[in-house]
Structures are given as C-alpha cells and as structure tokens.
Amino acid sequence: MRIFDPHIHMTSRTTDDYEAMYAAGVRALVEPAFWLGQPRTSPASFFDYFDSLLGWEPFRAAQHGIAHHCTIALNPKEANDPRCTPVLDALPRYLVKDSVVAVGEIGYDSMTPAEDNALAAQLQLAADHGLPALVHTPHRDKAAGLKRTLDVLRESDLPPDRVVLDHLNETTVGDATDSGCWLGFSIYPDTKMDPDRMVRILRVHGTERVLVNSAADWGRSDPLKTLHVGEAMLAAGFSDDDVDQVLWRNPVAFYGQSGRLSLDIADPGALHEGNSILRGGE
C-alpha cells in the first residue's frame, strides 16, 4: 500500500513518527501552514515558520524516504489578529517557491468579517499564482461554515476543481460534492472522522475527488490513520485499486495541478544549514 498524506503537520511530530509512517507505506506528504497553538505576536514569527516548512522539514522528511511539500497561508484563526494580518502582504514571495503546492490552510474558524477578507484575498492569490487551495471548513457549525465558504468560492476566480474542502463529515459531504470541489476528510482518534465512518461515506459517494488525511498535529492525533483507512477499505470489500486511488492517485492529481509536485527524493545530505538531525555520536 502506497500512501500520500495530503494534510499533516510534521513540525509537531517526531522522528519516530517519520519512521513509523515510512514503514506503513507513506512516501509523500503535504504539510499545510497552520496555527501554532498559542497566539503569534508578529509577522516575523510566521516567516521563520514558513522558512522551516521550505527547508528543515523537507530535509527531515527526506532523511526517512518521504517527499515533503507544503502549503502556505495565513490560517483562519490568526486572520482575526491585527498583529498577524500583514502576513497577507508577504505571501507572494513564498507562493513562488518550488515546494509550495497550494495556498492553505485558508477558510473559516469563527466566521468573522476578518476571516471573510482573508479567505477572499488568499483565494485570489491562489488564482494569481496558478495554485490550488486547501480550505479548512470550521470545526463548529460545519454546515453553516461550508455554505459561507462556498459563497465566497463562487465569487472568486478560482475554479472549484482547484479547491479541496477539508475536514468534511456526513453533514457536509453532500453539499461539498455538489460544489465540484475536491473532498477532504481528516481521520482522528476522537473527533472529526474515523476509518469506519470514512468507509461508509466512500460506499455512498465513491472514491473520485476524495482525499483522506491524518491532519496529525500537536493535539491527540495519529499519523497512521491513513493506513487504517486503507485497511478498513480492504476489509469492507474495496479493491487494492480503490485504496490506491484514495490514498495515492487522488492527492497526486490534486496537488499536481500546481505543476510543482515532485515525488523523487534527492539525497538530502547529512546537514541542513550546518545542522544534523542526529543526537550524539559523530
């Protein structure tokens, strides 16, 4: 089973996770820019973070045989903080980088006017840079959040087949499917979706335009949830080809629209800017 995790926050994960993911069949991933977990206090902290997504994390992933790409954006939660909104003006210099395959995560957290503005501005940036967009649907009041998201998308220059609506569930998958966008599902130990619910959705809606991710981060999450979905699909009677479509070919097709997706892993060398991932020894 080959796996491409299209949404995982490896900045929050350990080397043990990389090793376990490789053993499970993960050979590629996309790491979206997201919330730190506490407020950032200036744009400069974003820029250091973006630089790590473009440098240190690809280096670390390549040490374990995994191709790393990222998405860059001002995330919805921090779009509400006036200290952070100048990041929007700096995004164009990051969106031209080779390993940036989408604008994201963008979308809604609390559905405020500030989030409206950030979402519209970043959808335009995606259109201007020829990139797809990874859109975060809110964790609260999901149906209303999806409707508001789709309203903004319809007014944008970005066509729906270049958008993935993430964090979907049973209450939002129907409208998301009708929109023509790609469908993203985050599989978590306690919240969002689980493998069996994902299988039931696949039975009804099929395997086209579906991306399954672990969205693993600093909270309770599991970077092997993609593998567990593949196993649940096989146990439910889906074919190996169905699993390969959902866990590999679909994310390759979606992010491939950027023209920047590269699944070849060059030798990363022993050092990144003079630093090693090793601890102790020579």
Side-chain angles (χ1 to χ4, degrees):
M1 191 184 301
R2 57 181 181 169
I3 299 173
F4 184 143
D5 193 329
H7 181 156
I8 184 169
H9 301 289
M10 292 308 298
T11 297
S12 306
R13 311 302 302 194
T14 67
T15 292
D16 292 347
D17 291 317
Y18 269 123
E19 292 174 345
M21 289 162 64
Y22 184 87
V26 177
R27 295 295 181 269
L29 62 85
V30 167
E31 179 163 2
F34 84 133
W35 183 46
L36 179 66
Q38 67 180 36
R40 290 183 173 94
T41 58
S42 75
S45 63
F46 281 86
F47 303 150
D48 287 339
Y49 171 52
F50 294 163
D51 288 343
S52 75
L53 296 182
L54 294 164
W56 175 249
E57 281 306 323
F59 169 77
R60 201 162 70 106
Q63 296 285 338
H64 302 284
I66 297 174
H68 182 289
H69 295 80
C70 67
T71 76
I72 297 290
L74 174 65
N75 70 79
K77 190 174 184 69
E78 290 175 307
N80 294 296
D81 190 333
R83 297 174 298 179
C84 300
T85 50
V87 171
L88 291 170
D89 296 327
L91 288 178
R93 70 185 172 97
Y94 287 97
L95 297 179
V96 298
K97 302 294 185 179
D98 287 345
S99 60
V100 176
V101 293
V103 176
E105 299 178 54
I106 59 177
Y108 285 110
D109 178 62
S110 300
M111 291 183 276
T112 64
E115 292 172 23
D116 288 331
N117 294 336
L119 174 56
Q122 292 181 101
L123 288 171
Q124 188 60 53
L125 284 172
D128 292 345
H129 287 79
L131 292 172
L134 169 61
V135 176
H136 168 107
T137 60
H139 301 306
R140 304 174 298 278
D141 203 0
K142 294 188 78 68
L146 178 64
K147 181 181 183 301
R148 190 158 172 174
T149 300
L150 294 177
D151 288 342
V152 177
L153 282 171
R154 291 185 192 101
E155 295 174 359
S156 77
D157 291 331
L158 200 63
D161 63 356
R162 295 180 70 83
V163 175
V164 58
L165 300 168
D166 213 346
H167 308 318
L168 299 176
N169 63 15
E170 295 88 345
T171 67
T172 52
V173 63
D175 288 342
T177 300
D178 293 342
S179 74
C181 295
W182 289 69
L183 314 175
F185 297 90
S186 300
I187 314 301
Y188 261 42
D190 296 321
T191 60
K192 298 185 175 75
M193 297 288 296
D194 64 35
D196 292 333
R197 288 168 61 196
M198 189 68 240
V199 165
R200 290 195 289 272
I201 284 178
L202 290 168
R203 285 191 187 280
V204 174
H205 294 277
T207 57
E208 297 290 332
R209 293 189 287 125
V210 171
L211 304 184
V212 169
N213 64 72
S214 69
D217 57 17
W218 34 253
R220 187 158 189 266
S221 50
D222 182 353
L224 301 187
K225 282 298 185 185
T226 49
L227 170 65
H228 299 161
V229 168
E231 292 170 338
M233 289 177 67
L234 293 174
F238 285 90
S239 68
D240 290 335
D241 187 69
D242 293 329
V243 172
D244 190 68
Q245 179 179 12
V246 171
L247 295 186
W248 185 265
R249 300 198 307 272
N250 283 352
V252 167
F254 178 74
Y255 287 114
Q257 296 180 98
S258 68
R260 300 175 182 172
L261 190 68
S262 175
L263 301 175
D264 297 325
I265 304 170
D267 181 359
L271 300 175
H272 173 71
E273 296 186 354
N275 298 307
S276 167
I277 65 170
L278 301 178
R279 292 291 178 269
E282 295 297 327

